[in-house]
Amino acid sequence: MPRSVRSKIVALLMVPVVSLIALWAFATVTSARSVSDLNRLKEIDTTLVIPVGDFIAAVQDERSAAARAVAAPDAERQQTLRERRRATDAAATALRDGVNGGSADAADVDPHLPGRIDRLMRDAAQLTALRARHTTGKDTTDRTTGAYGEIVDHGLATLGALSGLQNPPGASQPRVVLELARARDVLSREDAVLGAAQAAGRMSPAQFDAFTGAAHTQRDLFAGAVDDLAPADAAAYHRILNGTAYRDLRSAEDAVRDAGPGTRAATAVPAADWSDAHSTVLRALRTAQRSAGTAAARTADPLSLGTLGGSGLAVVLGLAGVLLSLLISVKIGRRLVIELEELRNSALRVAGRELPRSLRRLYAGKSVDIDAVAPLPADRGAGRDEVGQVGEALVAVHRTALKAAADRAEALSGISGVYVSLARRSQLLLHRQLALLDTMERRTEHPAELEDLFRLDHLTTRMRRHAESLIILSGAAPGRGWRHPVPLLDVVRAAVAEVEDFARVEVSAVAEVRLAGGAVADLTHLLAELVENAVSFSPPHTKVQVHAERVGAGLALEIHDRGLGMSTEALDEANRRIADADEIDLLDTERLGLFVVNRLAHRRQARVTLQPSAYGGVTAVVLLPDDVLAEDAPDDGGAPEEMTSLYHRRRPARARALGAAIRRPAALPAAPEPPVAGTAPAPEAPMTERPAPPEPAPADLDGPLPRRVRQASLAPALRDDPQHKPEWVPRTEGAPAPRRSPEQARATMASLRAGWTRGRAATAPHDGAHGSVTPDDATPDEAAPGHDPQGETAP
């Protein structure tokens, strides 16, 4: 069965056309066969029938002359025999030329015809031997007559094989013409027998029986066959049979029959009278036979109306009908196919391109002109057929879908506005809450309360990030921003500080570059989302590694986790959601983080890719363009540069000079574990009685942050105090707050502050272009990673 509409319509229209073509083809083949048969008949008549008939007539005449010459040879009879032989040879040559020149296949006419033609040709070739026998006197009259009679019989058999041909309308039947040819041969035998008897002067009983039998046979054949001829041919034969010559011939036959065998039979009829009548009748019969057998076919026109008849008319009318049917079918089918293909293409275009593109524009918050995208037809409802009505229904469905999507997008836009308004209010309250927490952290000195304040500070920082995520998903920009470049290390630390389980994150090998102030908030949020995703989907005992380096295309940050990883299909789907800026489904609550990354990455032209990690987890690669990187400040001759950082405020030069006068510790203790967001160091303990710590190893500026050495900054008495616990232990849910004296808390915070500032000094550049960071460059209220530094603009 055809599958396409075009094939079905063509098949439907071609059924009657093919039937009509089949009928026309049958009529055409029939007419063509008739024309071909007639042409073949004319060719066979020319190449076989006429030459065979002439050869038989020549042999019959030679038989009569040979019988007389054998019975009583004399000069006149020998001369007559020679003339008849020359005529026979000419007829044999014409027969041979006709057989060799004919193009018709004799086997198609009759299976026996090729063999009979070959036998007749052999007889023609053996005439010389036959003539030699009766010339030398070796053959008698009866034997000579029998030998020639066999050749005549072979010729008549050949004509009998040709009688199967279909003659044209109005022609006599070949079988009837063949019977009349046999009747003429019998009449010729009578002449041979009677002529030999007249020449010898006596008719033997065998000759008498042959003569009388031949006379009865030819009379019976003429009486039964003439009436079966065509009217014109029958009239010609009747004229011969009713003529004077034939009556005289019959009278002579009766006289010979009445005389009986012997001398009286030979002398019953004068030889001259018999020869004149007999020759006249034979010539007339030969003419009538040729006219009845070949004249109709020879004069027939294969292309005439009489020959073709109704079949020819059917061919002509059938051809006209076929052409007209094809023209109408092609016109109707082509128009219908074009309409259906246009309808199909329109439906595919709407379903595959226009409707999804319009929906993406609506979901992206852009406007769509429904009348331009899905216009109504100009002749709507005016004489439209079923295909046109289906097209109108398709346009109506398209417009309805666009209207529904536009209404939904408008509703979502209103909801997004509400969410943005609520999120900004929450963000403002969270900023105020962070400021209040910062004031409380500075004011309190009780360790348990300070620890709770740190936790609350961290929770508030995370709440602020979630509020900013809601603003970003709603299509607005978060309120935070920096006016000056910020070091990449501070951005990475700020992002890590906004993660719940930040202690599992290791930051190492971060390039010493600065980011433009306008991109700090977005990139901090983007990295926080990716880091939190890595921490959440990896085992608790594993670490998440973050490092960044300069590459040819910009700045590459890599976040490695050692979780269970993602399947190839899940990775491809996640990367597609990150890369496609238009495909953001806010109803998919399980992938809101990916949508936030999508918005932030497209806003900063960053490229984020998730790929399998060598440890079985997932590696998130963030490629930042050079546009988000800040250019290095020019060298001003070693003057101190005012640095903008997420972790300390710019301070006047006088304050920095005063801080620089404070003695820097000789040792660089290792940094503590990443502090809880919002941690604020306590005032540093007095350094007058502090002994010098042991010599530390050289700091690795390219390695991870230094780690604090336990009790390295404490007095010897405190180191030996078994009740002293310098290490800060985070408080867990339900556990009682540790009991510490104010002195212990003060010493702990001082150690934390000293280690933090020394780590900052070790990792900062040491040239004059970038300035040096001294322990006093950072104040206790600036050490909390979750606080808003100076230069940040709150909403």
Side-chain angles (χ1 to χ4, degrees), residues 352-420:
R353 187 171 66 249
E354 293 182 357
L355 185 58
R357 181 174 58 190
S358 300
L359 293 180
R360 285 195 297 268
R361 287 181 57 87
L362 290 173
Y363 291 158
K366 302 178 183 179
S367 61
V368 173
D369 188 0
I370 297 179
D371 293 331
V373 176
L376 293 173
D379 54 348
R380 182 181 181 186
R384 306 282 291 180
D385 55 2
E386 287 78 3
V387 178
Q389 293 173 4
V390 173
E392 292 179 0
L394 179 62
V395 173
V397 171
H398 189 191
R399 292 176 63 89
T400 302
L402 290 179
K403 289 180 181 179
D407 295 340
R408 180 175 179 269
E410 185 177 357
L412 290 177
S413 177
I415 296 174
S416 297
V418 174
Y419 287 164
V420 170

Side-chain angles (χ1 to χ4, degrees), residues 23-24 27-28 30-32 303-321:
L23 294 177
W24 173 78
T28 303
T30 302
S31 301
L303 301 179
S304 64
L305 182 61
T307 302
L308 294 176
S311 61
L313 183 62
V315 169
V316 175
L317 295 179
L319 179 60

Side-chain angles (χ1 to χ4, degrees), residues 527-609:
L527 294 177
E529 292 289 344
L530 295 176
V531 171
E532 184 174 32
N533 185 73
V535 171
S536 301
F537 292 96
S538 59
H541 62 277
T542 60
K543 296 289 186 179
V544 174
Q545 298 178 351
V546 180
H547 66 271
E549 60 181 345
R550 290 296 300 268
V551 293
L555 180 65
L557 294 96
E558 296 184 3
I559 303 170
H560 303 271
D561 67 63
R562 303 191 181 185
L564 297 178
M566 301 172 64
S567 63
T568 304
E569 294 78 7
L571 277 176
D572 294 341
E573 178 66 17
N575 287 322
R576 186 182 63 82
R577 290 177 180 271
I578 294 175
D580 193 351
D582 294 332
E583 186 174 351
I584 294 181
D585 188 4
L586 298 180
L587 300 180
D588 190 357
T589 58
E590 295 181 356
R591 292 177 173 83
L592 292 180
L594 293 179
F595 296 145
V596 173
V597 172
N598 181 318
R599 288 285 176 86
L600 295 175
H602 285 87
R603 182 182 300 174
R604 296 301 171 187
Q605 287 78 42
R607 189 166 58 192
V608 181
T609 306

